[in-house]
Amino acid sequence: MLSRPRMPASVAAAALLLSLASSCTLNRSGAGTAVECRRDTDCESGFCVNGTCIGESVDSGRPEDSGLDSGAPVEDSGLDAQVPPDAPPPPPDSGPPPGPLLDYAEATFTRGSVATWFDPATGTLTRYAVHEPRILADGSIYVEGERTNFVLDSEAFESWFTDDSTVTANLDVAPDGARTAERWVALDDGGARAFLLGGPWGGASRPTATISIFAAAPGGSETFRQYWRGAGTHQFGEDRTVGAGWERFTVTREDMERNGVAQATTAAARMLSIWGAQAEEGHFASQYIPTAGLRETRAADTVVFGAAPAGMTSGPWTVELAPGASSEAIVAAGGSWTVFEFGSIDESVRLRVGAGAVRVSVRTSGSPHVETMPLTFDAHQVLTVSVDPSAGRLTVAGASSGNGTTSASAWTFPAGPLRVGSGAPGLESYFGAIGRPSRGGM
């Protein structure tokens, strides 16, 4: 807070001269033998200023009468400024502030089937209607290519084959909030012989496939194994430990024929809540596809904007990606995943697989223009990607390895239609979350 200004000496002197011309006299009755006043009560009328009484009609020189404390500082004094008078001027406008360049709710969106999204942080699953985009709480969008669940009834296990175990239908609350989860109890038979195994799926020739199942421990903690049949024999994976919250467990193998759960090797009874069985072709699990008596196919998501925003075609922007598969699984699957396509597949940002590695790649004029180093990451690990066409730079952060910046000559993306998560023919689909691009680089 600024301090109150002091009375200038010239003002005080003027007040003293005026006081000498005043007809006001000292109040002798209260002053005794004193010849000078000390306070206003020493004067018969008026005020006491510098030992002399002055009349009320004369400017006393007091601050309250001088106008100095009227709330308005002396003109051009600089006292009412919030910054020093010689402070430098503010910087010129540098353009629009950082912020999202896309709102996925404004895109043209299609998907000819229902879809789901499981949040591993909360153990809950959300269902989405036909043609309803999976826009997450942070504004990102979850997109996937086409996949089929070959398990005929994904939420009913009563007809599955049991060995030294029992199944009770609809006893527990499932990840979607409905009481449709089954309770599986494996008896204490001293080993891993107790199991629950679903029927065969797929054709006679079974390519690499992934099975998955949701599990929770109604008792607070439990250990179990995933069980399947492949290459003509019963097989099961490593011990899995699950708590009270729902988790999803997956296994990818060649010649995968069945889906199930088994008791762990320790000699004790096991009790699990199970739900949402899925068997699909591919090197990783996609989001859950519900079935009820028939195999079901989830259609691919299609996200299209009428035009790419100017902030993405030539200026720097940053986006967060959370691929739904690990770098190892993406490499094993081969191909590339389209993140953004500017008018055609020849102008795009992709996760490209080549030479045994996956890279973030900018494609222009039909060929890679600039690419990151080979990346390693887990499924759903967040990668922060910064694209700067005007400077010819591509930067990635957040990967387990391969982070950094690579440079090339500058380029400009076309301003035509912008597709998100898939190429124009519907091929090279991305699986996972794509954040909202924001202005500026890292």
Side-chain angles (χ1 to χ4, degrees):
M1 182 176 181
L2 297 175
S3 59
R4 184 174 179 175
R6 298 179 60 186
M7 181 189 300
S10 59
V11 175
L16 178 59
L17 292 174
L18 288 171
S19 70
L20 295 176
S22 172
S23 60
C24 178
T25 60
L26 189 67
N27 182 358
R28 295 292 180 182
S29 63
T33 58
V35 295
E36 293 184 345
C37 64
R38 295 184 179 179
R39 60 183 68 86
D40 292 345
T41 55
D42 293 339
C43 301
E44 292 182 352
S45 63
F47 308 98
C48 178
V49 177
N50 294 331
T52 303
C53 294
I54 62 174
E56 293 180 350
S57 61
V58 181
D59 185 356
S60 66
R62 287 175 174 270
E64 57 266 28
D65 295 329
S66 68
L68 292 175
D69 68 339
S70 62
V74 178
E75 184 177 1
D76 296 331
S77 67
L79 294 174
D80 63 339
Q82 298 300 311
V83 295
D86 58 349
D93 186 5
S94 59
L101 290 165
L102 296 176
D103 181 351
Y104 291 121
E106 297 176 355
T108 299
F109 180 86
T110 59
R111 185 191 58 249
S113 66
V114 299
T116 66
W117 181 71
F118 177 68
D119 184 354
T122 62
T124 58
L125 182 136
T126 304
R127 297 177 185 261
Y128 295 82
V130 174
H131 302 314
E132 180 183 6
R134 287 177 279 184
I135 298 177
L136 308 183
D138 61 358
S140 63
I141 190 168
Y142 204 96
V143 294
E144 295 180 291
E146 180 181 293
R147 281 288 181 91
T148 298
N149 185 359
F150 288 89
V151 174
L152 299 182
D153 203 331
S154 61
E155 298 172 20
F157 307 118
E158 300 93 306
S159 62
W160 285 25
F161 180 78
T162 59
D163 178 68
D164 284 344
S165 61
T166 62
V167 175
T168 304
N170 304 328
L171 184 62
D172 298 320
V173 176
D176 64 354
R179 192 172 293 277
T180 55
E182 318 281 68
R183 177 77 61 85
W184 176 68
V185 178
L187 304 179
D188 182 3
D189 62 358
R193 294 186 304 163
F195 61 84
L196 173 71
L197 187 62
W201 60 274
S205 176
R206 288 177 291 274
T208 298
T210 299
I211 59 171
S212 55
I213 197 166
F214 293 87
S221 179
E222 194 58 274
T223 302
F224 74 103
R225 294 182 171 193
Q226 284 186 268
Y227 200 86
W228 66 91
R229 183 177 174 86
T233 62
H234 294 293
Q235 302 180 35
F236 53 87
E238 69 276 10
D239 287 354
R240 307 275 202 165
T241 300
V242 64
W246 284 100
E247 298 181 49
R248 194 183 190 200
F249 298 89
T250 69
V251 173
T252 300
R253 293 287 188 278
E254 294 183 2
D255 195 32
M256 181 75 74
E257 182 185 355
R258 298 171 184 254
N259 193 349
V261 293
Q263 183 189 35
T265 55
T266 53
R270 293 288 176 256
M271 182 172 62
L272 281 179
S273 298
I274 54 175
W275 184 83
Q278 186 155 309
E280 57 193 308
E281 296 180 355
H283 288 77
F284 58 90
S286 68
Q287 291 291 320
Y288 171 57
I289 304 168
T291 64
L294 296 171
R295 63 181 61 174
E296 294 289 346
T297 297
R298 182 196 56 243
D301 296 294
T302 302
V303 186
V304 183
F305 289 88
M312 292 183 70
T313 57
S314 59
W317 49 272
T318 300
V319 66
E320 289 188 341
L321 308 177
S326 68
S327 55
E328 181 181 6
I330 295 175
V331 170
S336 299
W337 291 7
T338 300
V339 182
F340 297 111
E341 180 184 284
F342 298 81
S344 74
I345 195 63
D346 292 338
E347 312 285 339
S348 57
V349 176
R350 305 191 295 170
L351 294 180
R352 189 182 77 86
V353 174
V358 59
R359 298 169 171 84
V360 177
S361 175
V362 171
R363 182 181 177 91
T364 62
S365 301
S367 60
H369 185 87
V370 60
E371 296 183 327
T372 65
M373 297 293 290
L375 302 172
T376 60
F377 50 84
D378 295 328
H380 307 294
Q381 186 170 336
V382 177
L383 310 178
T384 302
V385 178
S386 179
V387 181
D388 190 348
S390 61
R393 286 197 300 266
L394 177 63
T395 303
V396 65
S400 299
S401 66
N403 297 312
T405 299
T406 53
S407 299
S409 59
W411 75 90
T412 301
F413 286 120
L418 176 68
R419 300 175 69 93
V420 181
S422 64
L427 302 177
E428 297 187 313
S429 294
Y430 178 97
F431 286 75
I434 300 176
R436 295 186 296 174
S438 298
R439 296 180 181 90
M442 286 189 285

